């Protein structure tokens, strides 16, 4: 019973910022496939939970991946996985809806189905009284295939309009299917839910492989076209996306979060958010100031969420308005050349002592390869300005293992960091620390680098050692290096670029109870070894460290993101020639197909 006690204590510590809606008769459990503090920090999860709650006829509850001690108890049979609010077994619901922001949580989706006592695979549930299992969220926009065999229906795109449409269609199907009302499944018939925009029923799509294991074709047996058009909302101001339930246990417990934009105008070639959410959409400064003012009634810190915050129209005014009200604005990430003196001053007035800047690459050459549209002088000017405004700690984001990268580019990360340190010390000797946050490059679907391999973990490790030595030589203890493990990145690349065969690997990892990066890596190594000796498991390297051919059918090609494939390919070619593309001008450009 300690699970229930913990859930009730958590509920008692939550503050719900809206009026609760009376429930209907469709019982839906919205699940975030990670632990409670992570789920409650996720604006997408909070938003979709609220959309289900306000949909007519729905009675909504939540569930999360249990805490580590709770998982031990559930696995040993000493406890049961229950919904968060009412304490009901998940099999009691009519629909369970996963909201998945990060593809690494695909493993937790399978673990949660297992803990719920449900057959994992869709086909094993058909015709039996189990809930309809649906999934949405930014991870499934990109590539749902690794969990396609476990989910009945995906909703591909933004949920604000799609989820109410889904519920309305579901109600129609449910009436048709009467009796019995509950436990309706859309498979095998051309139902209303299968025809809403963004609906992806994996049963309709059957991938076929050639002798080398690549996709040869995908046969389609559903209605209409064999394409799933991802759904987008045009005007962000029509919908607010802010914190709706506050809890100090959330990983952003001291903040009220406000989503400022979707997408990004800059088109960095490695970045999924810059392509999947095209075209860039901003909330108006007036809306953002009003939302921040509402948030200041609850928290002193307003977290401004989006891909790149220095380009948000009116951001300096928003920071100033927050400062004038005695609060602090915490933007998620700033592009160095877009930080205006007004913004730097407002951030200082806000009481910010730390700012994150993302040069992404150390050398001028590599910044051209990734289309960063940012030169060294602009980075140095921005950091000098921030130091002059009293910012004491700088965090610099870089990537390693990018396509076209040489060792000299890696060493230039250290040179640039040392120059930044020198400039800011000259401006303000009290600058505390420069932290270099280093992340291995992971190829993402729907980006110009989707065809590129991830560099071998061993090779990345060698580069990290090279960089660590150079940073120490140039900056000593004033520079801290915080490097993400290439093994974690390997798993991320597997679930980012995998097809349905990766589901077998995920099932095995889940059955073996692998949760932490170490055990996952060990199990993947065993699978690699077995694959070479002819086991049923595919070799993970096939999806991670292999270059995908430009004319190959990609597992996620059936999604229509309205971006021409030739455009992504031309961006890849420009990367090779170190040519940059100008940022989006949505008023007149139509080149990529999204506008
Ligand atoms: S059409 Fe042009 S402006 Fe619109 S998203 Fe594509 S590149 Fe950007």
């Amino acid at each position: 019973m300690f699970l229930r006690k913990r859930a009730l204590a958590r509920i008692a510590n939550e503050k719900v910022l809206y009026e609760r809606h009376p429930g209907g008769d469709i019982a839906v459990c919205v699940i975030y496939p990670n632990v409670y503090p992570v789920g409650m920090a996720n604006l997408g999860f909070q938003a979709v939970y609220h959309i289900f709650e306000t949909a007519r006829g729905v009675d909504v509850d939540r569930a999360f991946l249990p805490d580590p001690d709770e998982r031990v108890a559930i696995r040993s049979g000493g406890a049961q996985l229950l919904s968060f609010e009412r304490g009901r077994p998940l099999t009691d619901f009519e629909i369970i809806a996963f909201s998945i922001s990060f593809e690494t949580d695909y493993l937790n989706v399978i673990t949660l189905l297992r803990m719920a006592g449900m057959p994992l695979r869709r086909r094993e549930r058909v015709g039996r009284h189990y809930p309809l299992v649906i999934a949405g969220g930014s991870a499934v926009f990109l590539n749902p295939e690794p969990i396609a065999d476990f989910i009945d229906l995906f909703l591909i795109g933004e949920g604000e309009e799609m989820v109410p449409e889904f519920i309305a269609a579901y109600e129609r199907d449910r009436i048709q299917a009467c009796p019995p009302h509950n436990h309706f499944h859309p498979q095998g018939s051309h139902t209303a839910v299968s025809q809403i925009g963004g609906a992806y029923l994996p049963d309709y799509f059957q991938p076929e492989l050639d002798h080398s294991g690549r996709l040869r074709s995908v046969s389609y047996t559903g209605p209409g076209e064999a394409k799933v058009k991802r759904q987008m909302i045009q005007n962000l101001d029509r919908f607010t996306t802010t914190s709706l339930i506050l809890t100090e246990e959330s990983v952003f417990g001291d903040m009220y979060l406000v989503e400022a934009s979707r997408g990004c105008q800059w088109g960095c070639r490695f970045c999924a958010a810059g392509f999947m959410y095209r075209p860039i959409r901003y909330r108006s400064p007036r809306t953002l100031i009003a939302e921040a003012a509402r948030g200041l009634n609850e928290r002193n810190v307003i977290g401004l969420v989006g891909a790149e915050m220095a380009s948000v129209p009116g951001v300096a005014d928003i920071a100033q308005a927050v400062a004038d009200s005695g609060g602090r604005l915490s933007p998620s990430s700033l592009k160095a050349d877009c930080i205006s003196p007004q913004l730097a001053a407002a951030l200082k007035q806000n009481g910010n002592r730390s700012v994150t800047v993302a040069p992404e690459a150390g050398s001028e050459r590599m910044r051209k390869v990734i289309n960063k549209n940012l030169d060294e002088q602009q980075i140095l000017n921005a950091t000098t300005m921030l130091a002059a405004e009293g910012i004491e700690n700088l965090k610099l984001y870089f990537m390693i293992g990018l396509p076209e990268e040489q060792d000299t580019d890696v060493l230039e990360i250290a040179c640039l960091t040392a120059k930044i340190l020198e400039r800011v010390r000259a401006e303000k000797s009290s600058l505390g620390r420069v932290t270099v946050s280093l992340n291995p490059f992971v190829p993402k679907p729907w980006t110009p680098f989707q065809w590129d391999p991830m560099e071998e973990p061993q090779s990345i490790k060698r580069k990290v050692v090279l960089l660590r030595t150079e940073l120490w030589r140039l900056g000593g203890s004033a520079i801290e290096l915080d490097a993400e493990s290439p093994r974690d990145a390997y798993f991320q690349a597997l679930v980012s670029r995998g097809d349905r065969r990766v589901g077998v690997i995920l099932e095995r990892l889940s059955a073996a109870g692998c949760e932490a990066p170490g055990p996952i890596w060990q199990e993947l190594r065993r699978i690699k070894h077995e694959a070479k000796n002819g086991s049923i498991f595919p070799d993970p390297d096939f999806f991670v460290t292999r270059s995908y051919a430009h004319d190959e059918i990609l597992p996620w090609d059936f999604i229509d993101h309205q971006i021409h494939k030739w455009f992504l390919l031309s961006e890849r070619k420009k990367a090779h020639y170190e040519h940059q593309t100008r940022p989006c001008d949505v008023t007149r450009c139509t080149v990529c197909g999204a506008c």
Side-chain angles (χ1 to χ4, degrees):
M1 283 311 286
F2 77 99
L3 274 85
R4 198 65 210 125
K5 266 194 181 160
R6 192 175 292 168
L8 291 172
R10 282 172 164 165
I11 292 167
N13 285 327
E14 288 184 339
K15 183 169 182 189
V16 180
L17 303 178
Y18 60 92
E19 210 167 302
R20 302 305 297 249
H21 285 69
D25 69 337
I26 305 174
V28 179
C29 188
V30 183
I31 305 180
Y32 191 84
N34 210 313
V35 291
Y36 174 80
V38 178
M40 291 309 291
N42 189 286
L43 273 187
F45 170 70
Q46 291 216 10
V48 83
Y49 171 75
H50 185 245
I51 296 167
F52 270 109
E53 184 176 354
T54 49
R56 198 170 54 88
V58 170
D59 184 40
V60 77
D61 201 333
R62 286 174 273 168
F64 302 91
L65 181 72
D67 291 345
D69 59 336
E70 296 173 332
R71 297 201 288 270
V72 170
I74 292 171
R75 284 200 176 102
S76 67
Q80 191 185 8
L81 174 64
L82 298 170
S83 71
F84 183 70
E85 289 170 28
R86 317 262 165 77
R88 294 170 64 182
L90 297 197
T91 44
D92 273 10
F93 288 85
E94 196 167 329
I95 300 173
I96 62 180
F98 286 100
S99 169
I100 315 171
S101 292
F102 303 103
E103 58 276 55
T104 44
D105 286 339
Y106 284 167
L107 177 57
N108 297 336
V109 168
I110 295 172
T111 298
L112 279 156
L113 289 173
R114 186 187 299 284
M115 286 182 172
M118 290 172 61
L120 301 182
R121 291 179 173 264
R122 180 179 62 253
R123 289 190 177 158
E124 293 160 8
R125 298 192 298 263
V126 172
R128 299 166 67 186
H129 279 203
Y130 287 106
L132 177 71
V133 181
I134 69 171
S138 47
V140 310
F141 276 44
L142 285 177
N143 180 17
E145 288 306 88
I147 51 167
D149 287 333
F150 307 91
I151 302 291
D152 298 317
L153 168 75
F154 290 93
L155 295 178
I156 308 274
E158 295 171 350
E160 282 85 352
E161 291 171 339
M162 188 171 41
V163 170
E165 254 184 66
F166 160 74
I167 288 292
Y170 179 83
E171 268 195 305
R172 289 200 296 280
D173 284 338
R174 194 170 175 255
I175 291 164
Q176 294 284 319
C178 162
H181 265 184
N182 51 3
H183 304 303
F184 149 78
H185 273 270
Q187 288 92 344
S189 56
H190 294 182
T191 50
V193 289
S194 69
Q195 289 170 43
I196 66 164
Y200 167 44
L201 280 99
D203 255 356
Y204 288 153
F205 294 77
Q206 279 317 315
E208 281 155 32
L209 305 176
D210 68 14
H211 64 278
S212 68
R214 297 171 193 206
L215 281 174
R216 185 181 58 205
S217 62
V218 179
S219 63
Y220 177 68
T221 54
E225 270 188 276
K227 278 270 177 197
V228 177
K229 189 170 169 192
R230 68 101 164 90
Q231 302 297 294
M232 307 291 277
I233 56 172
Q234 300 292 329
N235 179 2
L236 279 193
D237 276 340
R238 282 181 53 224
F239 304 92
T240 47
T241 309
T242 59
S243 299
L244 293 166
I245 301 176
L246 296 174
T247 169
E248 279 172 11
E249 231 192 296
S250 149
V251 292
F252 299 125
D254 61 336
M255 289 188 194
Y256 179 89
L257 302 175
V258 175
E259 186 195 49
S261 62
R262 287 189 195 164
C264 178
Q265 62 177 306
W266 296 99
C268 297
R269 292 176 178 133
F270 57 83
C271 175
F275 290 88
M276 67 193 275
Y277 288 112
R278 284 185 173 216
I280 171 78
R281 290 148 297 151
Y282 295 108
R283 287 202 165 81
S284 67
R286 216 174 60 164
T287 304
L288 292 174
I289 288 173
E291 286 174 356
R294 216 176 11 254
L296 287 170
N297 294 326
E298 306 297 336
R299 294 284 192 265
N300 286 332
V301 186
I302 302 297
L304 205 59
V305 179
E308 196 287 301
M309 291 295 94
S311 315
V312 171
V315 67
D317 295 339
I318 300 163
Q320 193 59 54
V322 171
D324 291 346
S325 306
R328 177 161 75 84
L329 188 79
S330 176
S332 52
S333 172
L334 300 170
K335 187 165 185 288
D337 59 322
C338 300
I339 304 172
S340 64
Q342 294 89 328
L343 177 59
L347 289 175
K348 160 73 191 314
Q349 212 184 320
N350 273 226
N352 277 297
R353 293 277 168 269
S354 306
V355 167
T356 300
V357 174
E360 313 284 7
S363 68
E364 214 72 81
R365 187 185 84 80
M366 279 310 294
R367 284 193 296 275
K368 286 182 181 157
V369 168
I370 62 175
N371 198 41
K372 192 69 198 170
N373 280 295
L374 181 66
D375 65 34
E376 184 172 294
Q377 203 49 50
Q378 290 169 318
I379 298 169
L380 293 175
N381 290 347
T383 47
T384 307
M385 185 167 63
L386 289 167
E389 289 295 346
I391 300 295
E392 291 168 7
N393 298 312
L394 270 179
K395 190 170 193 177
L396 305 172
Y397 268 121
F398 289 100
M399 300 183 85
I400 195 164
L402 283 157
E404 316 281 342
E405 182 182 89
Q406 308 289 330
D407 281 3
T408 47
D409 299 305
V410 176
L411 292 172
E412 286 209 42
I413 294 175
C415 297
L416 178 61
T417 306
K419 280 184 201 165
I420 290 171
L421 188 64
E422 192 182 308
R423 282 286 199 101
V424 292
R425 274 182 169 166
E427 194 59 49
K428 189 161 179 67
S429 57
S430 69
L431 184 95
R433 216 175 45 235
V434 173
T435 304
V436 170
S437 174
L438 194 67
N439 297 288
F441 161 73
V442 172
K444 297 279 179 168
W446 294 105
T447 67
F449 291 159
Q450 64 182 348
W451 295 276
D452 284 278
M454 182 187 147
E455 196 164 317
E456 292 282 354
Q458 267 318 101
S459 169
I460 291 182
K461 266 173 117 175
R462 182 191 63 76
K463 286 181 172 176
V464 173
V465 171
L466 189 71
L467 178 61
R468 193 183 291 282
T469 311
E470 190 68 358
L471 283 172
W472 181 257
R473 191 178 74 77
L474 295 177
S477 59
I479 302 174
E480 192 181 319
L481 177 64
D482 178 11
E484 190 203 349
S485 154
R487 295 172 175 186
D488 298 0
Y490 182 95
F491 179 59
Q492 200 189 126
L494 174 67
V495 277
S496 288
R497 294 212 304 167
D499 63 24
R500 291 190 188 184
R501 287 169 292 174
V502 170
V504 190
I505 297 178
L506 292 175
E507 205 177 338
R508 172 161 160 180
L509 293 173
S510 167
C514 300
E515 291 171 346
I520 290 176
W521 174 252
Q522 293 308 330
E523 196 66 20
L524 288 177
R525 274 173 58 124
R526 278 192 278 276
I527 292 172
K528 271 204 248 192
H529 180 73
E530 290 170 23
K532 289 191 174 55
N533 295 307
S535 85
I536 57 151
F537 291 93
D539 184 348
D541 280 350
F542 184 81
F543 305 102
V544 179
T545 55
R546 178 175 73 92
S547 281
Y548 287 10
H550 289 170
D551 59 356
E552 190 173 331
I553 299 174
L554 302 175
W556 49 89
D557 272 353
F558 68 91
I559 301 173
D560 178 7
H561 272 265
Q562 290 168 295
I563 298 175
H564 306 303
K565 206 170 182 180
W566 62 256
F567 173 79
L568 296 177
L569 205 47
S570 71
E571 282 293 299
R572 178 63 188 91
K573 286 186 178 149
K574 281 168 92 173
H576 178 71
Y577 293 109
E578 299 164 24
H579 290 172
Q580 300 197 84
T581 300
R582 291 173 61 78
C584 288
D585 176 357
V586 293
T587 59
R588 52 187 155 173
C589 169
T590 55
V591 64
C592 83
C595 286

